[in-house]
Every structure is written in C-alpha cells, then in structure tokens.
Amino acid sequence: MSDIDISGLDIGAWEAQWDAIMAQSYSGTLTNLLDELASGNFSLDPDQVWRFILALFSDALKNSVFSYIAIIAVAFICSVIGIISPSDSAGGAGAFVCFGMGTAIAAKRLASLFALAVSTISLLCGCMDAIAPVLSIVIAASGGTGTAAAITPLAAFLSGTVASIFKNAVLPVCAAAGVCALLGAAAADEKLEHMFKLLKSFIRWLSGAVFTVYFGILAAWGLSTKASDSVAVKSAKYALDKGVPIVGGAMSGTMDSVLASAGLIKNAAGTAALITIAAAAALPLITIGCSALAARGTAAICGFMGDKRTPNLMERTADVANGLFAAVSAVAVMFMLTVGLAFVSFE
C-alpha cells in the first residue's frame, strides 16, 4: 500500500484551514497526514491524545476561574458592606455599585464567549467548504458517483442554511438571554426572569427542530446515494465483463483493484476531514464549557456570602454559556456526521 499517491488532489484551501487550526498543536502538514493515512503508516497514541485534551481542559478551566475571581471578590465586598451598613443607607448604594462591577465583568466574559462561538461556526463552515470538493473527487474515484454528486450541495446547505440558522438566530437569542440575565439579576425583575426562561426554551426547541430536519435529510440522502452507487458500480463491472471481448473479464477485475486503491485515498481523506473538524471545534468548546463550569462554581461560592443577586447572575451566565456550547457543538456534530456518512456510504 506504499504506492498510494494523493499528489493529484487539490487540497490548497483545505491545507490553509489546517495550518491555521493546527499551528500550535501539530507540526505535520495535511499532505503528510493524508500520505500516512492512505499508506497505513499513521499511528495515534490514545494516552497522548488524552493528555493533550486534559492539558487544554486544565488551561481553559484555569483561565475561566481567574476571570471570575474578581466577581467573587466583589461579592465578598458586597457581603461586608451589607454587614457594616444597613441596606437602606449608603451601604445599599455601595453594594449596588459593587454588584454593578461584577455584572460588568460577567458581561465582558459573555461577550468574549459569544464572539468565540461566532468565529468558531464561521471556521467550521470554512473547513467544510474546503473539504467538500476534495471528498467529492475521492468518493467519485472510488465509485460513489451518487454520493460525490450530493456531498458538495449538502455541504453548501449545511454551511449556508443550517449553520446560518445557528449563527444568525440561535446565537443572537443566546445574546438576548445574556442581556436578560444581566438586567434581571440587577433588578430582580420577575418579568425578565420569565423572558429569560422563554429564550432558553426557544433555543432548545429551535435547535431540536433543526436537528430533526437535518437528520431526516441525511437519512434520505444516505439511503438513496448508497443504493444508486451500488447499482452504478455493478452495472459498470457487468458492462466491462460482458461488453468488451476477450479482455472484459480482466478489465472488470482490474476495476476492483482501482476502486480499492481509490477507496484507501477516500478513507484517508474522510479521516483527515473528521480530524480537521474535531480540531477546529475542540478548543472553543472546551473554553466555553469550562467557562460555564467556572460560573456554576462561582455561583456556589457566592451563595455563602448573603447577597442572592450575584449567585443568580452567575447561574444565568452559566445557562447562556451552555446555550453557546450547544450551538457550536451542534454545528460541529452535523458537519462530522455528514463527512462520516459520505465516508462510509459507499462500500
């Protein structure tokens, strides 16, 4: 299998995305990865992967905890002010000012997470747009003409429609929920609390609806393309065997070898595509998840300090971060499922 050659593939756009994603974590190029996967020389140490993921998680959790330490300090000051001064005097104003500082810190953190979610979805769309043409070529070469014809339009549908729904609808609703969380915690307004719950429900139902439609389209596409590809290959082999005198049988057998060689390249491209998408989403998802976890921990610590506004604020901050996490992970999972189905749809 060492004679497998992927030099004919146009992977320039994909390689540019790969270099941007893996610049700080992997020294090899995409071309090297594809060569190793196609020739069977690629090896991956699971322990090393877990250590790398744990290191990312540890760093992200530390950064998230440090970003919320100021809120814990502000909550402590609020508690002290409440003890030494009545809430209906200057102490109340001082506590409100301190809470406002904590709210500003939480708002800045949510803004950074929102920007990270938007940029990650854009990056995933760019990766899918770069990967789809390459997958289309290698799948067609391996005999999956139906799958090859459908993979690029499906990728465009995901990037242009499905991802846009999350980017232009779900994420803005998450931002609106964040505003409600900040204002509601400050004013202790039941109306804003109900609005916050409504926005959370909307995020959940919209994401579920998009997933349902997507899985229906994906299932129909997978069944139809697999059947058409199988019929096309069998018809071609039969035509060669019966239609070409004398050498038809030999040519039909050679076709099996050609398809097998192309299948190795297809498998290599599919695996590399999954690695690319996973790598693009891994660090942002870990960062957002650790921020939600740190916010929950901050809420638990601040709950011992008397003022209920800060714990409520941090709980809602964690809920908003969870919504951002769900949006980014949904887009990444849908892209990976699409690549995975194209990867195995033709055998």
Side-chain angles (χ1 to χ4, degrees):
M1 285 188 280
S2 60
D3 58 344
I4 301 298
D5 184 16
I6 55 99
S7 60
L9 294 177
D10 181 9
I11 59 172
W14 184 359
E15 191 147 32
Q17 296 283 356
W18 172 269
D19 292 340
I21 294 168
M22 308 298 286
Q24 298 179 350
S25 57
Y26 182 74
S27 58
T29 65
L30 177 63
T31 302
N32 292 338
L33 176 65
L34 288 171
D35 281 330
E36 292 176 358
L37 288 169
S39 61
N41 295 325
F42 180 75
S43 60
L44 190 65
D45 184 1
D47 291 336
Q48 185 177 2
V49 173
W50 277 113
R51 285 194 297 269
F52 179 71
I53 293 175
L54 288 175
L56 290 179
F57 180 84
S58 176
D59 291 340
L61 186 59
K62 289 177 182 177
N63 292 333
S64 298
V65 169
F66 289 152
S67 67
Y68 290 129
I69 284 180
I71 295 179
I72 297 175
V74 168
F76 177 75
I77 294 173
C78 285
S79 178
V80 172
I81 291 176
I83 293 173
I84 64 177
S85 179
S87 59
D88 57 353
S89 62
F96 184 79
V97 170
C98 290
F99 176 75
M101 294 172 58
T103 302
I105 297 170
K108 182 179 179 181
R109 183 61 177 171
L110 283 178
S112 66
L113 294 178
F114 179 80
L116 178 61
V118 171
S119 63
T120 302
I121 291 179
S122 297
L123 177 61
L124 288 170
C125 291
C127 289
M128 196 64 189
D129 291 341
I131 290 169
V134 179
L135 286 183
S136 180
I137 292 172
V138 297
I139 290 171
S142 64
T145 53
T147 302
I151 184 65
T152 300
L154 183 60
F157 170 73
L158 285 173
S159 299
T161 302
V162 175
S164 293
I165 292 175
F166 282 95
K167 188 176 178 179
N168 300 321
V170 175
L171 291 185
V173 173
C174 288
V179 173
C180 287
L182 298 172
L183 296 178
D189 194 336
E190 291 294 329
K191 295 179 181 179
L192 288 176
E193 180 180 356
H194 294 315
M195 178 60 70
F196 180 76
K197 292 180 179 178
L198 174 63
L199 293 175
K200 282 178 58 179
S201 297
F202 179 79
I203 294 169
R204 183 169 61 252
W205 283 102
L206 180 59
S207 300
V210 172
F211 255 110
T212 301
V213 174
Y214 165 76
F215 281 124
I217 294 173
L218 200 63
W221 171 64
L223 292 174
S224 62
T225 55
K226 184 169 184 177
S228 64
D229 289 343
S230 178
V231 170
V233 171
K234 290 179 180 179
S235 299
K237 290 173 65 176
Y238 180 82
L240 284 175
D241 188 17
K242 304 300 182 182
V244 180
I246 302 175
V247 295
M251 292 178 65
S252 177
T254 303
M255 183 177 177
D256 288 332
S257 299
V258 172
L259 291 177
S261 178
L264 292 175
I265 300 177
K266 182 202 75 169
N267 294 346
T271 303
L274 293 175
I275 293 174
T276 303
I277 295 172
L283 183 56
L285 286 176
I286 290 174
T287 300
I288 296 172
C290 287
S291 184
L293 180 61
R296 299 282 186 196
T298 303
I301 294 173
C302 293
F304 294 102
M305 299 180 185
D307 188 357
K308 295 181 179 180
R309 291 177 298 179
T310 301
N312 290 338
L313 171 65
M314 298 316 298
E315 285 288 346
R316 293 175 181 179
T317 299
D319 289 338
V320 174
N322 287 339
L324 296 174
F325 183 92
V328 174
S329 61
V331 174
V333 167
M334 284 190 289
F335 283 169
M336 293 182 73
L337 287 175
T338 302
V339 171
L341 183 59
F343 180 33
V344 302
S345 62
F346 177 75
E347 298 178 356

